[in-house]
Amino acid sequence: MLLAAHYAAPVAAYHHAPAVVKTVAPVSHYAAPVAAYHAAPVAAYHAAPVAAYHNLPAVIKTVAPVAHYATPIVKSVHQEVYPDTHPEYSYQYGVQDAHTGDIKNQHEERDGDVVKGYYTLVQPDGVTRTVHYTADAHNGFNAEVEYKGEPIVQKAVVAKTIVAAAPVYKAYHH
């Protein structure tokens, strides 16, 4: 016959070790803690098993990659020297696109250090803008702007509000 005094209550031991994390660079890795369960054998007659639960530490060690850069190579660049020449040019262009309304032209010429020219364009409101300009070392850049024509006044488009009719419900009686 078993006596109550001879019965041993179960004994449980829990050990929680802290997780050790060592990072050298920002990382997005995560390792969950490793858990181990050990059941001890029966120690004596009428004794309940002793259980031990160990929360083992998770160890994460991350090292960032090392970047290696090559030493820059310095080259000697031989620059040719040209005798001073008198800079001189002249050009012009124009666009007449009726489909998009892009209408413009430009003319420019240079003689030494003096540049002069003009450009015209038709603005979205229909007015033609002409800009005459000059530039030189003494006076800098100067421009005169001229507008020709009257702006085309476009009528404002008013959106009509459409209101849907409320649904009609019919009740049927049986």
Side-chain angles (χ1 to χ4, degrees), residues 41-60:
V42 175
Y45 185 73
H46 298 296
V50 177
Y53 176 78
H54 301 282
N55 188 1
L56 300 178
V59 179
I60 301 171

Side-chain angles (χ1 to χ4, degrees), residues 3-137:
L3 297 175
H6 291 205
Y7 180 75
V11 178
Y14 296 97
H15 302 283
H16 295 283
V20 177
V21 178
K22 179 179 180 183
T23 54
V24 180
V27 293
S28 62
H29 302 290
Y30 172 76
V34 179
Y37 175 78
H38 304 283
V42 175
Y45 185 73
H46 298 296
V50 177
Y53 176 78
H54 301 282
N55 188 1
L56 300 178
V59 179
I60 301 171
K61 184 176 181 182
T62 307
V63 180
V66 178
H68 297 282
Y69 296 98
T71 305
I73 299 172
V74 179
K75 287 185 173 181
S76 173
V77 178
H78 176 69
Q79 185 176 8
E80 295 197 30
V81 178
Y82 296 99
D84 287 336
T85 58
H86 184 76
E88 190 173 353
Y89 66 82
S90 178
Y91 76 91
Q92 73 179 44
Y93 75 92
V95 175
Q96 300 289 327
D97 188 351
H99 178 70
T100 62
D102 189 13
I103 301 170
K104 59 187 169 192
N105 62 51
Q106 180 176 3
H107 174 79
E108 182 176 290
E109 56 189 50
R110 178 177 180 177
D111 186 12
D113 290 333
V114 178
V115 176
K116 52 186 166 177
Y118 69 91
Y119 68 88
T120 63
L121 64 98
V122 178
Q123 301 178 151
D125 65 356
V127 174
T128 301
R129 176 176 35 170
T130 304
V131 178
H132 293 273
Y133 59 90
T134 60
D136 61 43

